[in-house]
Amino acid sequence: MRIVSSLLALVVFFISFAASAQTVLYHNFNGYTLTGEPGDGAVLKEFDAMLVTDGKVAAVGTLASIQASLNPATTQKVDLQGKTLLPGIIDAHGHMLGLGENLIQVDLRNAASEQDAVARVADFAAAEMGPWVVGRGWNQENWSERSFPTAKSLDEFIADRPVWLTRVDGHAGWANSKALELAGITAETVSPEGGEIIRDASGEPTGVLVDNAMALVESQMPAKNAEYYRRALVTAFDHLVSEGITGVHDAGVDATNLAVYQQLAAEGNMPVRVYAMLSASEPRLPDLLADGPITTEDDSLTVASVKIYTDGALGSRGAALIDPYSDAPNTRGLLVTQPTDIEQLFELIIPHGFQINIHAIGDRANRIALDKFAKAYATIGGRNLRHRIEHSQVVHPDDIPRFKELNIIASMQPTHATSDKNMAEDRIGKERMQGAYAWQTFLDQGTIVAAGSDFPVELSNPFFGVHAAVTRQDRDNQPQGGWYAHEAMTLEQALRAFTLDAAYASGQEQQLGSLEPGKWADFIVLDQDPFAVTSDKLWRADVLATYVAGENVYTQE
């Protein structure tokens, strides 16, 4: 962590001390929040003073207007010395367990080649003597050869222990021969429905498994117990609050994960608010639905939705397309869950009053999801449940208006565009880009866009996402002028998508997402004012302090 000046450190110390008091008046800052109704009806409000009482916002405005009616003897005053104050960031699509695991396993995100990745894995394996070597983050599209890696390259360094390395998007895995052997994968093994065993020219498995085929290896790995979950989640919490994230929509939670969340919430150890989506593949899903939605009294944990997968990802060619891939004419991607099974899940979930959040990246997957929502509305209802399509990444132009017609929220991740820009056109061609990463098109028609990062697929820093949303550029400010720049958001829209509209997407806009009287005092203090810097600097915002319900949960050292 960066070292701040002694003066600022002293200020932050007093912030931390004052936050424990019952009533605190923060002043002398540049404050911004979106107020009013979510969507394009929201209004940007500027303020320089905020009163917090019992963990909730009591008033926002000017120092003079607020302190006129206060008793100085019972109110702590905190001078933020001209820094910037924003609502806490809500990441509308992340994977908490995956992030925690990523932080404690071998990280291959920055591997420059297959050989570089293998070297990192070998170094990690030499230091960690567990039964399996596990990691995540490789992306062949960032390597000069841009081809899938092989088991053979891993075998040269690690042949006695199984190795399993998940691709950055979580939709493919790379195994060594020992892992393939334990999974019983040979040339004769048939790829499961919704998955693919990548093979070489002679039909032998190469070591890469896509989507549902990944389970062949993962089923052989040691079971994760509650202690493991807890360690990973707490590690993720600590990381996220340092980046100004006060709420996360956790996209896919199994029964064990849920039980750990409930224990952490009961202990008061949830520094990040979690809106947990139950995994549709959880065997106990019917029982969990029967228990009904869950919301803790302090809104630290909410369970009111289910995550369904339709297809895979674009990078591994698992996204389901209407027409073949431009760079692989023999495939149209994979359906991870078959349409009849999706329909049955809708029939199970909607009567219990749970929101459905359905992963759809390819245009075929998005069309299937929209079709199933339309059919459900006509037969069992549920239009009022604020259903979402997670990613909404490549959508046929004819289907974009259906989001508005069907009252579907587009849950989108801005950094996906800047990460995918080097391969998206290769995958789908320029014509299909008309409905790809189409944030402004959705906003223009009045669709709510909830923004997230999809961590650990992407880095969790929300200001990387704000920057990508506004500039359509990577952090090297490429390409010049932005990638399909007509789909960029304004800064106000991007901030709204990461705060108020994200809260709306979880049905929590009355409690979270903006700094308005009666809402929880979830806020962050930044070193720079995003509305006062040029857009190329937005990603450089540094979080000095993070507060949840008025309590200091992070201070930069």
Side-chain angles (χ1 to χ4, degrees):
M1 300 176 185
R2 299 189 182 92
I3 302 300
V4 294
S5 68
S6 299
L7 176 60
L8 184 54
L10 184 62
V11 171
V12 173
F13 167 79
F14 279 116
I15 297 173
S16 178
F17 169 80
S20 63
Q22 188 175 25
T23 299
V24 186
L25 175 59
Y26 298 91
H27 66 98
N28 188 20
F29 57 78
N30 300 314
Y32 302 94
T33 188
L34 277 301
T35 65
E37 293 299 315
D40 55 17
V43 176
L44 183 68
K45 179 181 179 66
E46 299 181 40
F47 55 104
D48 59 26
M50 179 173 70
L51 187 68
V52 176
T53 301
D54 294 333
K56 293 189 175 182
V57 177
V60 294
T62 64
L63 177 62
S65 66
I66 294 176
Q67 70 178 359
S69 59
L70 296 179
N71 181 350
T74 60
T75 303
Q76 293 283 342
K77 288 182 65 177
V78 177
D79 186 341
L80 291 184
Q81 304 211 345
K83 300 303 176 184
T84 294
L85 187 148
L86 296 178
I89 300 297
I90 300 172
D91 190 310
H93 186 111
H95 302 273
M96 295 288 284
L97 181 64
L99 175 62
E101 289 178 321
N102 203 207
L103 292 168
I104 60 180
Q105 296 172 351
V106 58
D107 185 359
L108 302 177
R109 183 183 301 276
N110 294 321
S113 65
E114 180 176 358
Q115 294 71 33
D116 182 24
V118 170
R120 294 174 187 233
V121 174
D123 289 343
F124 181 87
E128 298 287 338
M129 300 308 296
W132 282 66
V133 180
V134 182
R136 179 169 179 159
W138 60 272
N139 183 359
Q140 82 284 359
E141 293 298 328
N142 292 335
W143 305 342
S144 58
E145 58 270 27
R146 296 182 72 175
S147 58
F148 278 137
T150 66
K152 182 179 179 180
S153 62
L154 290 169
D155 294 343
E156 293 179 22
F157 293 87
I158 311 168
D160 59 336
R161 279 192 288 169
V163 178
W164 181 241
L165 310 167
T166 307
R167 192 179 185 276
V168 66
D169 57 14
H171 287 272
W174 172 19
N176 69 347
S177 293
K178 185 66 174 180
L180 294 176
E181 176 188 338
L182 289 174
I185 297 174
T186 68
E188 286 70 44
T189 305
V190 177
S191 294
E193 185 176 57
E196 183 180 3
I197 300 170
I198 302 297
R199 305 174 193 274
D200 61 21
S202 62
E204 293 292 332
T206 64
V208 172
L209 310 176
V210 180
D211 287 314
N212 286 356
M214 297 167 68
L216 299 174
V217 167
E218 291 174 343
S219 64
Q220 303 303 309
M221 298 174 69
K224 301 171 183 177
N225 57 24
E227 182 179 353
Y228 175 90
Y229 276 75
R230 185 183 182 98
R231 178 191 174 200
L233 293 174
V234 169
T235 300
F237 286 154
D238 291 344
H239 180 79
L240 292 171
V241 296
S242 74
E243 296 184 328
I245 295 174
T246 59
V248 169
H249 300 176
D250 195 347
V253 173
D254 64 20
T256 303
N257 198 342
L258 176 59
V260 173
Y261 273 145
Q262 289 177 302
Q263 182 62 38
L264 288 167
E267 297 168 0
N269 289 325
M270 294 275 286
V272 176
R273 300 186 191 278
V274 173
Y275 180 73
M277 309 178 199
L278 298 174
S279 175
S281 61
E282 165 56 49
R284 291 188 52 212
L285 180 62
D287 294 332
L288 296 175
L289 292 173
D291 291 339
I294 298 170
T295 301
T296 59
E297 186 176 354
D298 63 355
D299 291 313
S300 63
L301 175 64
T302 302
V303 185
S305 64
V306 178
K307 166 74 177 298
I308 301 173
Y309 279 97
T310 299
D311 63 346
L314 203 61
S316 52
R317 296 188 184 87
L321 302 180
I322 295 171
D323 296 314
Y325 276 80
S326 297
D327 60 355
N330 61 330
T331 183
R332 299 186 185 196
L334 300 167
L335 289 178
V336 177
T337 308
Q338 296 304 305
T340 54
D341 295 329
I342 292 173
E343 198 166 311
Q344 290 173 3
L345 283 166
F346 276 39
E347 292 170 355
L348 169 66
I349 296 164
I350 289 176
H352 290 286
F354 279 68
Q355 175 193 57
I356 291 174
N357 300 334
I358 186 165
H359 165 117
I361 289 184
D363 52 10
R364 183 185 178 204
N366 275 278
R367 179 165 291 177
I368 288 171
L370 292 165
D371 288 346
K372 297 308 175 187
F373 280 123
K375 184 173 181 179
Y377 292 172
T379 56
I380 56 176
R383 185 184 181 91
N384 63 318
L385 294 174
R386 298 186 186 177
H387 301 297
R388 298 160 44 164
I389 292 183
E390 303 299 312
H391 309 305
S392 310
Q393 197 162 311
V394 180
V395 184
H396 192 286
D398 292 346
D399 289 327
I400 290 178
R402 300 178 68 197
F403 278 73
K404 180 65 174 177
E405 294 163 7
L406 295 170
N407 197 33
I408 302 298
I409 294 167
S411 175
M412 307 176 84
Q413 299 74 46
T415 49
H416 278 340
T418 51
S419 293
D420 292 355
K421 61 183 171 57
N422 66 331
M423 63 85 181
E425 279 192 20
D426 292 342
R427 293 288 189 271
I428 64 176
K430 287 192 174 184
E431 184 176 348
R432 281 181 286 190
M433 288 300 300
Q434 183 181 350
Y437 314 89
W439 314 326
Q440 194 58 243
T441 298
F442 279 109
L443 290 168
D444 285 345
Q445 71 178 16
T447 293
I448 295 288
V449 173
S453 65
D454 200 11
F455 64 73
V457 175
E458 303 283 354
L459 294 172
S460 54
N461 189 318
F463 295 100
F464 293 177
V466 171
H467 171 264
V470 173
T471 67
R472 302 279 291 202
Q473 295 175 320
D474 59 28
R475 294 185 297 282
D476 292 325
N477 299 310
Q478 295 299 318
Q480 291 188 2
W483 188 65
Y484 292 90
H486 63 282
E487 291 291 359
M489 298 185 194
T490 66
L491 177 56
E492 185 174 321
Q493 288 172 332
L495 179 61
R496 192 179 78 210
F498 275 104
T499 56
L500 184 59
D501 287 359
Y504 176 87
S506 61
Q508 297 174 297
E509 74 277 10
Q510 298 302 318
Q511 296 82 33
L512 310 173
S514 62
L515 296 171
E516 299 179 80
K519 293 189 177 184
W520 291 108
D522 298 351
F523 63 96
I524 58 178
V525 181
L526 301 181
D527 69 331
Q528 72 176 31
D529 183 341
F531 288 92
V533 300
T534 55
S535 60
D536 62 304
K537 295 183 175 64
L538 287 171
W539 67 272
R540 297 180 181 273
D542 206 6
V543 176
L544 305 179
T546 301
Y547 290 82
V548 175
E551 179 182 352
N552 176 232
V553 294
Y554 167 77
T555 298
Q556 185 187 85
E557 295 179 0

